[in-house]
Amino acid sequence: MSNPEAIQWSLVPRALLGLCALLCGNGYIVGINQIYDEDIDKVNKPFLPVAAGELSVPQAWALVRNPPCLLPTHPSRPTISLASTVVR
């Protein structure tokens, strides 16, 4: 970095909070979309968790209401992503 004074390090926590808000908002939008478009997704995107039956509609609602991005992650905790078919 040619000018280390260009970054105001005091703003990093605020930037991380903003990033968390964006991730939660995206999860909310994607989750709602998968819940309401389940029939359409079964035809057009059958690999999505709700359309594929890997995630039930009540489970999807639980994730939308309580975004996992607000929870601290730990390797032993199962993780479900609404944006992909990744299920650990």
Side-chain angles (χ1 to χ4, degrees), residues 62-77:
L63 288 171
V64 167
R65 289 187 186 118
N66 305 300
C69 63
L70 293 179
L71 302 173
T73 58
H74 189 272
S76 66
R77 176 182 291 144

Side-chain angles (χ1 to χ4, degrees), residues 2-24:
S2 61
N3 186 3
E5 295 175 6
I7 296 177
Q8 292 183 5
W9 293 104
S10 63
L11 295 178
V12 171
R14 183 177 282 184
L16 292 175
L17 185 60
L19 178 63
C20 182
L22 289 171
L23 289 174
C24 289

Side-chain angles (χ1 to χ4, degrees), residues 34-44:
Q34 286 193 37
I35 291 167
Y36 283 104
D37 289 347
E38 181 181 5
D39 294 334
I40 295 169
D41 288 343
K42 283 181 181 179
V43 174
N44 295 329

Side-chain angles (χ1 to χ4, degrees), residues 75-87:
S76 66
R77 176 182 291 144
T79 303
I80 298 172
S81 172
L82 288 177
S84 67
T85 57
V86 175
V87 178

